[in-house]
């Protein structure tokens, strides 16, 4: 559902035309794909090296964000946050680093700071899966005992991913808490 009131941009729209004309970007995107494959295969060390190599060819917000994600899997949260800030410098329209900073801050116990980052992620034109920041905000509100706000965020997530049955159950459970 695209009710945000701004145009959304996907990966191909972001990089497609430029990659055809720029061999460094093409190589960076190939390395990015290799890093994603290494990550899916469970080789975080290899993924980190490939993300770094991708950045060396042509820095992209995607490579910085996913490198940060790998750092977070190693417990290196400060470095993960730093990579997300670099990602935002490269492309402030990419929503993933905003959401990831919020998640890392949650892991550090900085719930109040995390809220602003999730709100920024909600507004980013290039971001999938768009329902994540809503769910993350719901987690914060649940921890604070604010069930009404949590239900509102789950409803926002459900609007962006209406086929998700787990979200429907979660919303119904939250609504039951309000009665």
């Amino acid at each position: 559902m695209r009710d945000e009131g701004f145009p959304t941009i996907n990966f191909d729209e972001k990089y497609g035309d430029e990659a055809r004309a720029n061999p460094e970007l093409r190589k960076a995107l190939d390395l990015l794909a290799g890093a994603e494959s290494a990550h899916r295969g469970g080789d975080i060390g290899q993924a980190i090296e490939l993300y770094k190599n991708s950045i060396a060819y042509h820095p992209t917000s995607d490579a910085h964000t996913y490198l940060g994600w790998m750092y977070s899997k190693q417990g290196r949260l400060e470095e993960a946050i730093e990579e997300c800030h670099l990602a935002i410098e490269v492309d402030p329209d990419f929503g993933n680093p905003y959401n990831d900073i919020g998640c890392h801050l949650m892991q550090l116990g900085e719930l109040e700071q995390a809220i602003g980052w999730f709100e920024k992620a909600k507004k980013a034109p290039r971001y999938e899966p768009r329902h994540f920041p809503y769910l993350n905000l719901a987690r914060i509100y649940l921890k604070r005992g604010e069930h009404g706000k949590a239900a509102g965020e789950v409803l926002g997530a459900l609007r962006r991913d209406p086929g998700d049955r787990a979200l429907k159950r979660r919303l119904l459970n939250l609504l039951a808490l309000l009665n």
Side-chain angles (χ1 to χ4, degrees):
M1 178 175 202
R2 294 187 175 178
D3 64 355
E4 285 81 13
F6 52 81
T8 57
I9 304 163
N10 66 32
F11 185 85
D12 290 333
E13 291 168 332
K14 171 69 181 170
Y15 295 115
D17 290 338
E18 185 182 353
R20 284 187 279 282
N22 182 335
E24 288 83 18
L25 178 57
R26 266 196 317 274
K27 178 65 174 171
L29 295 178
D30 287 344
L31 289 163
L32 181 70
E36 290 171 349
S37 178
H39 172 226
R40 280 191 306 278
D43 192 344
I44 292 174
Q46 179 67 18
I48 287 172
E49 288 308 309
L50 290 168
Y51 285 128
K52 286 180 178 179
N53 289 339
S54 175
I55 291 166
Y57 271 96
H58 190 284
T60 63
S61 183
D62 304 72
H64 279 295
T65 299
Y66 303 143
L67 175 57
W69 190 17
M70 295 301 99
Y71 287 158
S72 75
K73 289 189 170 295
Q74 295 180 327
R76 299 161 60 184
L77 297 177
E78 298 297 333
E79 291 170 90
I81 290 170
E82 184 179 320
E83 286 300 325
C84 288
H85 283 292
L86 291 170
I88 292 166
E89 286 179 28
V90 172
D91 181 7
D93 288 343
F94 189 40
N96 297 55
Y98 298 103
N99 186 74
D100 288 2
I101 289 172
C103 289
H104 304 324
L105 289 170
M106 283 179 67
Q107 287 180 276
L108 293 169
E110 302 289 338
L111 301 182
E112 292 304 315
Q113 287 183 4
I115 290 171
W117 291 101
F118 294 134
E119 291 295 343
K120 290 177 183 180
K122 286 180 178 182
K123 297 174 183 147
R126 187 167 73 90
Y127 186 38
E128 291 298 329
R130 191 158 289 283
H131 65 287
F132 276 13
Y134 294 88
L135 292 176
N136 289 322
L137 280 166
R139 290 172 45 211
I140 290 174
Y141 293 136
L142 280 173
K143 285 183 182 187
R144 296 185 349 188
E146 298 178 56
H147 298 122
K149 284 186 174 181
E153 295 300 334
V154 173
L155 179 59
L158 191 55
R159 286 182 174 150
R160 281 141 192 91
D161 191 6
D164 188 325
R165 289 185 175 171
L167 285 177
K168 291 175 186 175
R169 282 190 303 276
R170 188 176 297 178
L171 180 59
L172 290 173
N173 290 337
L174 283 170
L175 292 174
L177 290 174
L178 295 176
N179 290 328

